[in-house]
Amino acid sequence: MLIKLEDIKKIYQVGAEMVGALQGISLNIEENEYLAIMGPSGSGKSTLMNILGCLDTPTSGSYKFTSELVSEMDDDQLAEIRNRQIGFVFQTFNLLPRATAIHNVELPLIYNGTPSSKRKKIASDALERVGLADRMNHRPNELSGGQRQRVAIARALVNNPKIILADEPTGNLDTRTGEEIMEIFEQLHEQGNTIILVTHEEYIAEHTNRIIRLRDGKIERDESI
Amino acid sequence: MMRLLIDLWEGVKIAFQALRANKMRSLLTTLGIVIGITTVIMIHSIIMGLNAAFYTSISALGSDTLYIGKFSWMSRTDWIEARNRKDITLKREGNAIKEYATLVKAVAPTVSAQRTVKYESEKLNDVNIIGTNEEYAITSNVEPEYGRMLSKQDVDHRRNVCVIGWEVADKVFKNKNPLGRNLSIGSYPFRVIGILEKRGNLLGHNLDNEIIIPLGIFQKQYGARRWVTIEVKVIDPALIEEAKDEITGILRRVRKVEPHQENDFAINQQDMIADMYKRLTTALYAFAFGVGSIALIVGGIGIMNILLVSVTERTKEIGIRKAIGARNKDILLQFLIESLVVTAFGGIVGIIAGFVFAKIIAASTFLSATVSPVSVAIGIIFIFIVGTFFGLFPAYKAAKLDPIEALRYE
């Protein structure tokens, strides 16, 4: 078992009111799964994604990642998990605008103390894998949307994470470019990676093998295709 | 360890990137630091220069020489009271010290006056004429560059001879050799027997504009009722306090000071001037420190302010870095380094500017300036304190940002 969520609840205080963004989510994810989390806005999918990505901790419930209990971790331990075990791909790419493609990809390696010479090699390999070997020294504003998202994917891959978490990865791309990105995810899945997509587009979710639909902070349906 | 080094290096690179991206802003921000460090370095250099000049200057007095007179060099004694004291005389005090003091190796009574000196058509006004004896060479530590000093015979027989200072020789005799020529001092002729080595200044008093003549002839030609200062050289600098006690005893006895009365004379020494000077410069130091500190605090607040702006502007960047694994302390370090880089830039400019200004001031006024490694060290210490102190709050704020909130920030 790679991920085991048990009765995860997340409650926010908005003014005097308590809002339950997640109201008891239990979920198992195996290694090398390719799944999509879907749901309308307000369904809690972003919150679930943040908890799965160790950016946030649940109010109650337990989250086990491999054998580690994430729900009890402090800030630094969470940072460590994010660094080594999780690769993020965001809708808005979230690259550092002033850094070159290769430097952006190197960033996660900097934060686990990989020496500079090794970093360059690993980062350029990762960029090659996403087909950007010839764009390494370009800055984000010199790249197209699709290319930027590939840089982001290379960055997500660079520490050989256990899971890749992609939040609407095609949301800012045209259909054709979106398909190209989805092809990369498919390849990564075939190579043995575990991929979790968050999306509200049915045709994107159809690429995956399992779709989890959320509504009002609960799992409405969990279906394998 | 490796990780910390990589973190530090990365921090420096990010800092430079950020500074390049905001050149004008960084420049203005750092101005306060430049002014602060410039002030501190400049004033420190000038004080160091003053110190060097001062201690060279008073070294002419000699640390093992006592100067006995009616007036204390310390300004605390009442001048009118001191003026009404019994005169210090050659016969009474001079002889008593010579006879009874065991810890002194030379005693030279001195009197002085300003006179115009003439040789042929050359004239020099306000030359300091000193009447003394043959032991003056020892007490005041002077040696002739050419010729000889006064001898005991010159003094005993009140010969019309003189030893002239460097500047007198230079200005009055021009290219001629003064030795053996007759110099007219206030219209009396004196034969030049020696020329003193170059001595420089003593607290603004030109020691080369001086003529030494036998005491007896001085009193005969220029009058006997003058303030006498008795210069005493102690046999060993370590015994200076004992010598002072001994002389105090002798003088109280010959001047018939009652046991309940205070001394009606003063034994002066180089230390007293040094003490006074130290008290003066301490005040100057405090002032400089105050001015510099205020400028640095203002500069530091400027840096803190701009860093807070920078943290807000880069909230998204912080979110991204945290998402991919930056710990709180990585972010803290990054902004601290940025603060230190900005401060260091200002500080280095300030150190250079401080030295330049100090040199300009030294060149255009009577002040002198010494550039010393201590000044640089002071500058660097200030840079670190200011950079760390004022960077800490913005850096802490950045480190504590919630990654989700930060990622959402546009």
Side-chain angles (χ1 to χ4, degrees), chain A residues 12 50 55-56 75-76 79-80 82-83 86 88 90 92 94-99 103-104 107-116 119-120 139 155 159, chain B residues 2-3 6-7 9-10 13-14 17-18 21-22 314 316-331 334 400 402-404 407-408 410:
Chain A
Y12 295 108
N50 287 337
L55 286 164
D56 204 355
D75 282 0
D76 279 1
E80 189 90 25
R82 289 198 295 271
N83 184 260
I86 296 163
F88 286 99
F90 300 96
T92 52
N94 282 350
L95 300 175
L96 298 188
R98 284 198 292 263
H103 191 80
N104 266 295
L107 271 183
L109 297 166
I110 286 168
Y111 290 119
N112 59 36
T114 310
S116 170
R119 273 195 329 245
K120 290 267 180 298
R139 284 173 212 285
R155 182 180 67 188
N159 268 330
Chain B
M2 188 67 204
R3 171 154 186 191
I6 290 171
D7 248 20
W9 179 233
E10 183 66 15
K13 281 199 290 191
I14 296 168
Q17 231 171 41
N22 294 303
R314 282 150 70 190
K316 180 114 183 168
E317 176 192 322
I318 295 163
I320 296 171
R321 288 180 187 275
K322 286 196 149 191
I324 60 174
R327 295 164 305 177
N328 292 352
K329 52 188 156 202
D330 295 318
I331 303 293
Q334 177 190 326
K400 278 289 165 197
D402 175 41
I404 301 166
L407 274 173
R408 223 177 270 150
E410 286 303 331

Side-chain angles (χ1 to χ4, degrees), chain A residues 5 8 11-13 22 36 54 60 63 70 82 88 95 98 114 122-123 132 153-154 170 172 192 201 219 222:
Chain A
L5 300 185
I8 292 288
I11 295 159
Y12 295 108
Q13 185 166 9
L22 296 179
C54 299
S60 69
Y63 172 13
V70 174
R82 289 198 295 271
F88 286 99
L95 300 175
R98 284 198 292 263
T114 310
I122 300 171
L132 281 179
I153 293 171
T170 59
N172 274 23
E201 308 264 25
I219 295 179
D222 181 349

Side-chain angles (χ1 to χ4, degrees), chain B residues 95-350:
Chain B
N95 289 342
I97 293 169
K98 227 174 156 83
E99 201 159 327
Y100 301 116
T102 57
L103 297 172
V104 304
K105 73 173 165 200
V107 180
T110 62
V111 285
S112 67
Q114 263 72 46
R115 286 291 180 272
T116 300
V117 299
K118 252 183 0 211
Y119 177 75
E120 290 178 351
S121 61
E122 298 297 338
K123 243 169 81 175
L124 190 59
N125 291 323
D126 296 326
V127 179
N128 196 33
I129 315 298
I130 296 172
T132 184
N133 66 12
E134 69 282 2
E135 293 189 3
Y136 182 75
I138 303 165
T139 59
S140 61
N141 225 4
V142 291
E143 287 190 11
E145 181 86 28
Y146 303 104
R148 61 175 178 87
M149 291 299 285
L150 299 179
S151 69
K152 191 164 184 329
Q153 286 72 29
D154 294 330
V155 178
D156 288 351
H157 298 108
R158 302 184 183 183
R159 286 183 185 147
N160 277 12
V161 292
C162 65
V163 179
I164 61 177
W166 183 265
E167 199 174 300
V168 178
D170 188 48
K171 287 196 173 152
V172 179
F173 289 97
K174 303 284 180 195
N175 301 324
K176 300 184 197 83
N177 180 5
L179 291 179
R181 293 179 198 267
N182 276 329
L183 178 66
S184 133
I185 304 173
S187 75
Y188 299 100
F190 286 80
R191 187 163 53 89
V192 178
I193 57 167
I195 301 159
L196 297 175
E197 62 197 346
K198 210 171 165 116
R199 292 161 76 198
N201 280 310
L202 170 61
L203 304 173
H205 176 71
N206 186 355
L207 293 175
D208 294 318
N209 188 28
E210 203 171 84
I211 295 177
I212 302 166
I213 61 174
L215 182 63
I217 194 85
F218 182 103
Q219 286 176 322
K220 183 178 151 201
Q221 310 287 39
Y222 311 118
R225 272 196 63 85
R226 283 185 179 275
W227 290 327
V228 177
T229 300
I230 301 175
E231 297 189 8
V232 174
K233 182 95 161 180
V234 178
I235 50 171
D236 182 346
L239 294 173
I240 195 147
E241 289 306 314
E242 287 85 342
K244 271 164 81 175
D245 289 346
E246 188 182 52
I247 291 165
T248 305
I250 294 167
L251 292 182
R252 284 181 74 93
R253 200 169 66 238
V254 299
R255 289 168 73 84
K256 301 194 171 61
V257 182
E258 300 287 330
H260 64 272
Q261 284 177 320
E262 302 234 343
N263 292 343
D264 62 350
F265 53 90
I267 303 177
N268 298 304
Q269 66 186 103
Q270 185 203 47
D271 283 12
M272 297 164 79
I273 300 180
D275 282 352
M276 212 150 65
Y277 174 78
K278 257 183 218 147
R279 249 176 287 148
L280 253 161
T281 45
T282 305
L284 198 57
Y285 261 124
F287 173 73
F289 190 77
V291 171
S293 298
I294 290 168
L296 283 174
I297 289 170
V298 172
I301 291 170
I303 288 202
M304 182 159 75
N305 186 28
I306 220 70
L307 275 174
L308 285 172
V309 172
S310 177
V311 168
T312 306
E313 276 179 357
R314 282 150 70 190
T315 300
K316 180 114 183 168
E317 176 192 322
I318 295 163
I320 296 171
R321 288 180 187 275
K322 286 196 149 191
I324 60 174
R327 295 164 305 177
N328 292 352
K329 52 188 156 202
D330 295 318
I331 303 293
L332 186 85
L333 198 62
Q334 177 190 326
F335 280 93
L336 264 190
I337 290 172
E338 191 165 325
S339 170
L340 279 171
V341 168
V342 179
T343 319
F345 173 73
I348 290 163
V349 173

Side-chain angles (χ1 to χ4, degrees), chain A residues 176-195:
Chain A
R176 204 175 60 83
T177 320
E179 283 301 322
E180 282 171 25
I181 295 296
M182 291 317 292
E183 268 168 43
I184 294 175
F185 282 122
E186 236 144 87
Q187 283 166 24
L188 292 173
H189 175 237
E190 276 161 28
Q191 288 161 14
N193 286 290
T194 310
I195 298 167

Side-chain angles (χ1 to χ4, degrees), chain A residues 21-92:
Chain A
L22 296 179
Q23 310 191 4
I25 301 271
S26 296
L27 181 64
N28 293 336
I29 298 171
E30 302 286 343
E31 209 145 324
N32 200 20
E33 273 200 78
Y34 186 12
L35 65 96
I37 296 170
M38 297 195 70
S41 58
S43 64
K45 61 181 195 301
S46 290
T47 308
L48 181 57
M49 154 105 182
N50 287 337
I51 288 175
L52 281 172
C54 299
L55 286 164
D56 204 355
T57 47
T59 313
S60 69
S62 92
Y63 172 13
K64 261 190 171 168
F65 189 97
T66 61
S67 58
E68 295 176 277
L69 197 58
V70 174
S71 42
E72 303 290 318
M73 286 182 172
D74 65 22
D75 282 0
D76 279 1
Q77 289 170 312
L78 289 173
E80 189 90 25
I81 293 265
R82 289 198 295 271
N83 184 260
R84 295 191 182 268
Q85 313 285 20
I86 296 163
F88 286 99
V89 179
F90 300 96
Q91 176 176 3
T92 52

